[in-house]
């Protein structure tokens, strides 16, 4: 009897069934209706198994990202977690003790987070204590139990990063403290070795690395890339990857990845409409900042008439982008106001009709043809034309910037430095986007000329430039000096 009890206490959860793996794949593809129906069927067929209700709750959590004020979704989220807890705790009295600990403990900690942020602090504290105790028992019984580490790692990390919340909850119940490094290590183990929560662990790590406390967008991108390797046909993960690529200024990759996400969305039935909508916006932004406003407007497609599928936090940027492009191309809709240029960046709402372009191109057919050659890989020819035009009109800061950009792409950093110095020293007003990219290009050109210490100051200035959309590129270059990305904007 003792031997069988001990075996039950440490026996790992069984491998996910093919039905569970298929449903998890639907979830990570962004096919939330199909995933929810599949997990509901798993819950119905296996009334003692906590897997179905726990993943029903996780599917609801993804829906809440698009509809955070939907009270019905919040109620569903908590009900499914309560059912996962009930089923998991029932397993503690059976031969599946370890499985019960892992699923009930994970559900408890997810419920604690939801209750804390809804103001139910006493219930949150109790849930956190119960979940933490169950998962600590599970890891004591089997230190190699990687699935334990998903929720346990999340608790340890956020308990350390949100000490005010832990202290507040301790008023009601005794709670253990957290540890940032232990939390990150636990999540990484779950991502590498887990059976059920690998992708969730990777996405949580990406969220952590993109936050204010531990900002490292390159690390966040790496985690999403790892998650995509688990399911490369996922439009949801492709869109998340494209978003990080855009933030890092890797414009060509962001464009192609977002376009790929759109194709994947079209090839799968039931993808949540917010996913292709966000992919369209990312593709358009990438094109716009590559000085292709016509293609950017085309990429926005149906969003121009109905942007309602966009996530709420993306609507402001969409409105600003459309206003910018229409102003740049002088195709503002009838009835638009005739305000003067105010130099605000893409993302502003209710802008005047004529805005200073956030990604300005030089005027004139020869300059525009040269930009086309630059995009086609004919950098030396483009640099020759743009350099000659800049010499003829030295006060045109936009033309001078594009000449410097062409010289740098053509492998002539010394000539790029000359143009960038002149540009940055001028007293003329320079659009924020060009000033920011000029600072970053200045750093890259100095490094190419063997002057890395001087380059650091320009990266710092780019990272600190308020109003510059791609400040994070400078911060990333400073954080990863061993492998900087070449400036693209």
């Amino acid at each position: 009897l003792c031997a069988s009890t001990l075996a039950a206490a440490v026996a790992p959860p069984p491998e996910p069934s093919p039905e569970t793996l298929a449903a998890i794949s639907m979830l990570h593809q962004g096919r939330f209706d199909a995933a929810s129906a599949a997990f509901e069927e798993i819950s119905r067929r296996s009334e003692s198994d906590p897997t179905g209700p726990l993943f029903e709750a996780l599917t609801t959590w993804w829906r809440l990202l698009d509809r955070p004020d939907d009270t019905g979704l919040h109620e569903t989220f908590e009900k499914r977690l309560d059912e996962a807890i009930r089923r998991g705790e029932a397993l503690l009295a059976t031969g599946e003790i370890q499985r019960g600990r892992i699923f009930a403990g994970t559900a408890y900690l997810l419920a604690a987070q939801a209750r804390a942020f809804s103001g139910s602090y006493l219930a949150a504290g109790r849930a956190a204590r119960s979940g933490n105790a169950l998962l600590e028992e599970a890891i004591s019984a089997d230190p190699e139990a990687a699935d334990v580490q998903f929720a346990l790692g999340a608790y340890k990390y956020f308990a350390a990063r949100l000490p005010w919340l832990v202290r507040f909850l301790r008023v009601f119940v005794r709670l253990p403290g957290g540890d940032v490094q232990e939390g990150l290590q636990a999540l990484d183990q779950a991502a590498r070795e887990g059976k059920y929560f690998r992708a969730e662990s990777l996405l949580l790590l990406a969220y952590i690395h993109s936050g204010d406390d531990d900002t490292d967008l390159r690390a966040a991108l790496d985690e999403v890339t790892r998650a995509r390797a688990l399911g490369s046909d996922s439009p949801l993960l492709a869109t998340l990857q494209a978003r990080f690529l855009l933030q890092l200024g890797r414009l060509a990759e962001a464009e192609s990845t977002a376009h790929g996400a759109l194709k994947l969305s079209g090839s799968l039935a039931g993808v949540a409409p917010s996913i292709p909508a966000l992919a369209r916006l990312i593709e358009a932004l990438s094109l716009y900042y590559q000085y292709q406003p016509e293609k950017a407007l085309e990429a926005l497609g149906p969003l121009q008439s109905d942007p309602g599928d966009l996530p709420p936090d993306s609507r402001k940027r969409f409105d600003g982008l459309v206003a910018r492009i229409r102003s740049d191309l002088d195709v503002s809709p009838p009835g638009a106001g005739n305000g003067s240029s105010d130099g605000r960046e893409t993302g502003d709402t209710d802008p005047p009709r004529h805005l200073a372009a956030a990604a300005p191109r030089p005027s004139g057919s020869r300059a525009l043809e040269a930009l086309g050659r630059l995009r086609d890989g004919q950098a030396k020819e483009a640099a020759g034309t743009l350099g000659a035009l800049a010499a003829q009109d030295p006060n045109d800061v936009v033309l001078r910037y594009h000449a410097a950009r062409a010289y740098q792409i053509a492998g002539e950093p010394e000539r790029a430095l000359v143009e960038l110095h002149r540009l940055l020293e001028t007293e003329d007003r320079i659009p924020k986007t060009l000033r920011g990219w000029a600072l970053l290009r200045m750093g890259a050109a100095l490094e190419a000329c063997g002057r890395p210490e001087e380059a650091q100051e320009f990266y710092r200035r780019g990272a600190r430039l308020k109003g510059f959309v791609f400040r994070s590129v400078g911060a990333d270059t400073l954080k990863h000096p061993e492998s900087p990305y070449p400036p693209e904007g």
Side-chain angles (χ1 to χ4, degrees), residues 237-284:
L237 298 181
T239 300
L240 291 176
Q241 186 180 40
R243 186 174 69 176
F244 284 123
L245 286 165
L246 177 64
Q247 288 179 277
L248 285 165
R250 295 168 62 176
L251 302 175
E253 286 181 84
E255 174 200 340
S256 62
T257 304
H259 190 71
L262 278 172
K263 285 187 173 181
L264 286 170
S265 296
S267 68
L268 295 169
V271 174
S274 60
I275 294 170
L278 183 57
R280 284 187 187 280
L281 177 58
I282 294 169
E283 182 184 19

Side-chain angles (χ1 to χ4, degrees), residues 153-199:
Y155 175 83
K156 288 180 178 179
Y157 177 84
F158 288 108
R161 283 300 187 208
L162 298 174
W164 63 270
L165 181 58
V166 175
R167 285 197 299 269
F168 188 83
L169 294 179
R170 280 176 178 165
V171 172
F172 304 101
V173 294
R174 293 184 61 188
L175 284 174
D179 185 285
V180 167
Q181 288 306 313
E182 286 186 10
L184 293 175
Q185 289 168 4
L187 286 169
D188 184 64
Q189 183 183 351
R192 286 183 289 105
E193 303 169 13
K195 299 174 182 177
Y196 289 88
F197 307 116
R198 293 181 67 188

Side-chain angles (χ1 to χ4, degrees), residues 109-449:
L109 287 184
L110 292 174
Q113 177 183 343
R115 292 166 189 172
F117 285 100
S118 68
S120 302
Y121 296 116
L122 179 58
R126 287 173 175 167
R129 185 175 65 179
S130 297
N132 191 78
L134 284 169
L135 293 176
E136 289 289 0
E137 288 174 9
I139 205 69
S140 295
D142 179 10
E144 303 303 316
D147 281 306
V148 176
Q149 303 289 13
F150 166 56
L152 195 59
Y155 175 83
K156 288 180 178 179
Y157 177 84
F158 288 108
R161 283 300 187 208
L162 298 174
W164 63 270
L165 181 58
V166 175
R167 285 197 299 269
F168 188 83
L169 294 179
R170 280 176 178 165
V171 172
F172 304 101
V173 294
R174 293 184 61 188
L175 284 174
D179 185 285
V180 167
Q181 288 306 313
E182 286 186 10
L184 293 175
Q185 289 168 4
L187 286 169
D188 184 64
Q189 183 183 351
R192 286 183 289 105
E193 303 169 13
K195 299 174 182 177
Y196 289 88
F197 307 116
R198 293 181 67 188
E200 280 69 25
S201 299
L202 288 166
L203 294 175
L204 183 53
L205 284 168
Y207 171 80
I208 287 170
H209 290 310
S210 63
D212 292 335
D213 292 317
D214 294 290
T215 303
D216 185 345
L217 290 178
R218 192 177 303 207
L221 174 62
D222 289 344
E223 303 298 2
V224 174
T225 302
R226 289 172 64 192
R228 279 203 75 185
L230 302 177
S232 58
D233 60 346
S234 166
L236 170 60
L237 298 181
T239 300
L240 291 176
Q241 186 180 40
R243 186 174 69 176
F244 284 123
L245 286 165
L246 177 64
Q247 288 179 277
L248 285 165
R250 295 168 62 176
L251 302 175
E253 286 181 84
E255 174 200 340
S256 62
T257 304
H259 190 71
L262 278 172
K263 285 187 173 181
L264 286 170
S265 296
S267 68
L268 295 169
V271 174
S274 60
I275 294 170
L278 183 57
R280 284 187 187 280
L281 177 58
I282 294 169
E283 182 184 19
L285 284 162
S286 303
L287 286 163
Y288 181 72
Y289 284 111
Q290 291 178 89
Y291 310 102
Q292 300 180 73
E294 298 91 350
K295 287 189 175 182
L297 193 62
E298 181 183 348
L300 288 172
L303 289 180
Q304 295 180 66
S305 57
D306 182 14
D309 288 333
L310 278 170
D313 60 355
S314 298
R315 286 292 302 275
K316 182 178 179 181
R317 199 165 196 194
F318 166 81
D319 292 340
L321 175 62
V322 171
R324 285 281 180 188
I325 297 174
R326 287 176 173 164
S327 177
D328 291 359
L329 301 177
D330 198 23
V331 292
S332 297
N338 290 316
S340 61
S341 168
D342 64 356
R344 290 181 293 176
E345 282 288 338
T346 296
D348 302 318
T349 55
D350 301 322
R353 175 178 170 83
H354 294 296
L355 297 169
R361 300 181 296 187
S363 58
S365 59
R366 287 186 64 199
L368 291 177
E369 288 171 6
L371 287 190
R373 286 197 294 274
L374 189 58
R375 283 194 296 271
D376 292 339
Q378 303 172 47
K380 288 191 179 295
E381 295 86 343
T385 301
L386 292 168
L389 292 172
Q392 294 171 17
D393 191 357
N395 294 322
D396 188 331
V397 294
V398 174
L399 184 56
R400 186 171 296 282
Y401 173 76
H402 285 285
R405 186 166 74 96
Y407 282 132
Q408 199 162 30
I409 295 172
E412 300 183 60
E414 297 86 355
R415 299 188 73 174
L417 277 177
V418 172
E419 298 295 343
L420 291 167
H421 266 302
R422 289 174 179 168
L423 176 69
L424 292 171
E425 289 173 357
T426 183
E427 295 181 359
D428 296 333
R429 186 170 182 176
I430 306 173
K432 282 285 178 67
T433 304
L434 293 195
R435 182 179 290 278
W437 280 118
L439 290 167
L440 300 181
R441 286 190 176 279
M442 193 71 176
L446 286 166
E447 284 205 89
C449 292

